[in-house]
Amino acid sequence: MKKGKTFIISGPSGVGKSTVLRALFEGRDDLYFSVSATTRAAREGEVDGRDYHFIAADRFRAMIEEEAFLEYAEYVGNFYGTPKKYVDEAMEAGRDVILDIEIQGATQVCAKRPETVRIFIAPPSWEELERRLTARGTDTPEKVQKRLLRAKVEMETAYDYDYFVINDTVENAVKELRAIMCAEHCKPAERMNRILKK
Amino acid sequence: MKKGKTFIISGPSGVGKSTVLRALFEGRDDLYFSVSATTRAAREGEVDGRDYHFIAADRFRAMIEEEAFLEYAEYVGNFYGTPKKYVDEAMEAGRDVILDIEIQGATQVCAKRPETVRIFIAPPSWEELERRLTARGTDTPEKVQKRLLRAKVEMETAYDYDYFVINDTVENAVKELRAIMCAEHCKPAERMNRILKK
């Protein structure tokens, strides 16, 4: 049976990644969205196993020791990480796995598993990203400029990503994501095995 | 404007490459099928510029000297080659170019232009390829076995191709080809230029 592959999807704040991912997953049971583990407390409405795997700090530390994470980081006093277990189970079941993580996490994952495919969601232009950040209405103009600068730095840092998907429209971005996932399953290593063995 | 890319499509005799290519080109004016030049005489019904560019042997030799070919070969006393000119014009116009050539030609093209993408059309299994070759009814059983052996050698030789598309059904093969072409346009070099310049 076909084994699944892991795809990391990163992108700057305001690029519309969540919307694109929601559209990507629509009606696609063959995809698995990796749920992170965290030591922070669940917030009102958050469901364990859906929003996060909520676990105690000593358990998280033990899992770090056991190398049970593909990547992890500490952020404002809490730990966040990607448990290997669910990713591996999904891939064994033939499902492609999506990791919604940042560039630093992506670097950790690829150090362990270089075959992981990294995709960066980019805005069609800086002007458009600025427009989207401003339209959200949640940030001051200064904060928007800070986010823009951070987005530029992120994108330059992501120069060694495998693909850049431009989110000009959600439809186009999803089409490109699906194309990339399909193309990656046509790589020789996977295909040669499948055909030559028959 | 987006520049086109060149895709080489190779595959063993009987795999159904012509049918797949015909389906790939249906309604797609943005694709350009590279027409080979040859020194052999035109056959009944063949049209110059559509089936081949028919040119004289001394002109072909002069073009070799001018490095006007991406690849060329001699076969049963005649020359066959891919003129650079039309390929470059199409790419400049933003069209993706398909070269329907064999592995040796592909090696020549990639030596000159390593960015060329090589796709090998493979059968779903050897049994199926044997069935298809037999069903054509044009070859003796011995000839079919010879073609099968040749197909296996070709496929092992194509181990460094970028992609293997399995022609189980024409629809699937075309879907994979389109996905590969779309994904290749999401590679960082092309995309970074497009976004960072804006």
Side-chain angles (χ1 to χ4, degrees), chain A residues 65-82:
Chain A
E65 289 301 309
E66 295 158 15
E67 299 192 5
F69 292 111
L70 280 179
E71 56 85 35
Y72 68 93
E74 205 181 340
Y75 180 70
V76 221
N78 290 305
F79 281 105
Y80 296 81
T82 303

Side-chain angles (χ1 to χ4, degrees), chain B:
Chain B
M1 202 189 68
K2 192 179 101 174
K3 228 189 123 184
K5 277 184 181 287
T6 301
F7 298 86
I8 289 171
I9 301 189
S10 310
S13 171
V15 81
K17 190 174 55 168
S18 316
T19 313
V20 168
L21 285 178
R22 217 163 19 240
L24 177 68
F25 274 85
E26 231 158 68
R28 290 287 299 264
D29 291 337
D30 55 327
L31 298 185
Y32 171 74
F33 186 84
S34 162
V35 176
S36 298
T38 183
T39 58
R40 81 154 165 75
R43 292 180 192 141
E44 180 83 29
E46 283 184 339
V47 177
D48 184 43
R50 185 193 70 184
D51 300 293
Y52 284 98
H53 298 288
F54 295 101
I55 59 182
D58 53 353
R59 176 76 196 111
F60 201 105
R61 281 196 202 89
M63 284 175 71
I64 293 175
E65 289 301 309
E66 295 157 15
E67 300 193 6
F69 291 112
L70 280 179
E71 56 86 34
Y72 69 92
E74 204 181 339
Y75 180 69
V76 220
N78 290 304
F79 282 106
Y80 295 82
T82 302
K84 276 183 189 168
K85 187 173 174 278
Y86 308 109
V87 170
D88 290 344
E89 283 172 0
M91 286 205 297
E92 281 302 324
R95 298 169 78 188
D96 283 333
V97 175
I98 305 290
L99 301 188
D100 174 5
I101 57 177
E102 294 198 49
I103 299 175
Q104 286 184 7
T107 307
Q108 285 185 51
V109 176
C110 288
K112 289 193 185 74
R113 301 184 173 179
E115 72 278 14
T116 309
V117 179
R118 284 174 297 172
I119 305 169
F120 192 84
I121 311 265
S125 68
W126 298 121
E127 290 69 29
E128 175 58 19
L129 183 59
E130 186 170 7
R131 206 192 57 71
R132 288 182 196 174
L133 285 166
T134 308
R136 298 199 303 191
T138 49
D139 296 322
T140 61
E142 292 72 36
K143 191 81 197 256
V144 165
Q145 289 310 314
K146 260 195 175 167
R147 286 197 194 274
L148 260 184
L149 189 65
R150 195 190 143 115
K152 285 188 195 192
V153 171
E154 268 184 17
M155 194 158 140
E156 306 253 16
T157 314
Y159 69 95
D160 62 348
Y161 265 51
D162 301 294
Y163 298 98
F164 276 71
V165 160
I166 297 179
N167 186 20
D168 46 359
T169 68
V170 175
E171 289 70 28
N172 280 347
V174 169
K175 182 179 159 257
E176 290 189 351
L177 283 175
R178 290 201 204 284
I180 290 165
M181 296 172 75
C182 177
E184 282 291 328
H185 279 290
C186 300
K187 290 284 171 126
E190 185 174 332
R191 285 289 161 90
M192 291 286 253
N193 273 338
R194 198 168 133 191
I195 305 159
L196 291 176
K197 273 179 188 162
K198 279 190 183 168

Side-chain angles (χ1 to χ4, degrees), chain A:
Chain A
M1 202 189 67
K2 190 179 102 173
K3 230 190 123 184
K5 278 184 181 287
T6 300
F7 298 85
I8 290 171
I9 301 189
S10 309
S13 172
V15 81
K17 189 174 56 168
S18 316
T19 313
V20 168
L21 285 178
R22 215 162 22 238
L24 177 69
F25 273 85
E26 230 158 67
R28 289 288 300 264
D29 290 338
D30 56 326
L31 298 185
Y32 172 74
F33 185 85
S34 163
V35 176
S36 298
T38 184
T39 58
R40 80 153 165 77
R43 292 179 190 141
E44 180 82 30
E46 282 184 340
V47 177
D48 184 43
R50 185 194 70 183
D51 299 294
Y52 285 97
H53 299 287
F54 295 100
I55 61 181
D58 53 352
R59 176 77 194 111
F60 201 104
R61 282 196 201 90
M63 285 175 71
I64 294 174
E65 289 301 309
E66 295 158 15
E67 299 192 5
F69 292 111
L70 280 179
E71 56 85 35
Y72 68 93
E74 205 181 340
Y75 180 70
V76 221
N78 290 305
F79 281 105
Y80 296 81
T82 303
K84 276 184 189 167
K85 186 173 176 280
Y86 308 108
V87 170
D88 289 345
E89 284 173 359
M91 287 205 298
E92 280 303 324
R95 299 169 78 188
D96 283 332
V97 175
I98 304 290
L99 302 188
D100 174 6
I101 57 178
E102 295 197 49
I103 300 176
Q104 287 184 6
T107 307
Q108 286 185 49
V109 176
C110 289
K112 290 193 184 74
R113 301 185 173 178
E115 71 278 15
T116 310
V117 179
R118 284 173 298 171
I119 305 168
F120 193 85
I121 312 264
S125 68
W126 298 120
E127 289 69 28
E128 175 59 19
L129 184 60
E130 187 170 6
R131 206 193 56 72
R132 289 183 195 174
L133 285 167
T134 308
R136 298 199 302 191
T138 49
D139 296 322
T140 61
E142 292 71 37
K143 191 79 196 259
V144 165
Q145 289 309 314
K146 260 195 174 169
R147 286 197 195 273
L148 260 183
L149 188 65
R150 196 191 143 113
K152 287 188 194 192
V153 172
E154 268 184 18
M155 196 160 138
E156 306 252 15
T157 313
Y159 69 94
D160 61 347
Y161 265 51
D162 301 295
Y163 299 98
F164 278 69
V165 161
I166 297 180
N167 186 21
D168 46 358
T169 68
V170 175
E171 291 68 30
N172 280 347
V174 169
K175 182 179 159 254
E176 290 190 351
L177 283 174
R178 291 202 203 283
I180 290 165
M181 296 172 76
C182 177
E184 282 291 327
H185 279 289
C186 299
K187 291 282 171 126
E190 184 175 333
R191 284 289 161 91
M192 290 288 252
N193 274 337
R194 197 169 134 190
I195 306 159
L196 291 175
K197 274 179 187 162
K198 277 188 183 170

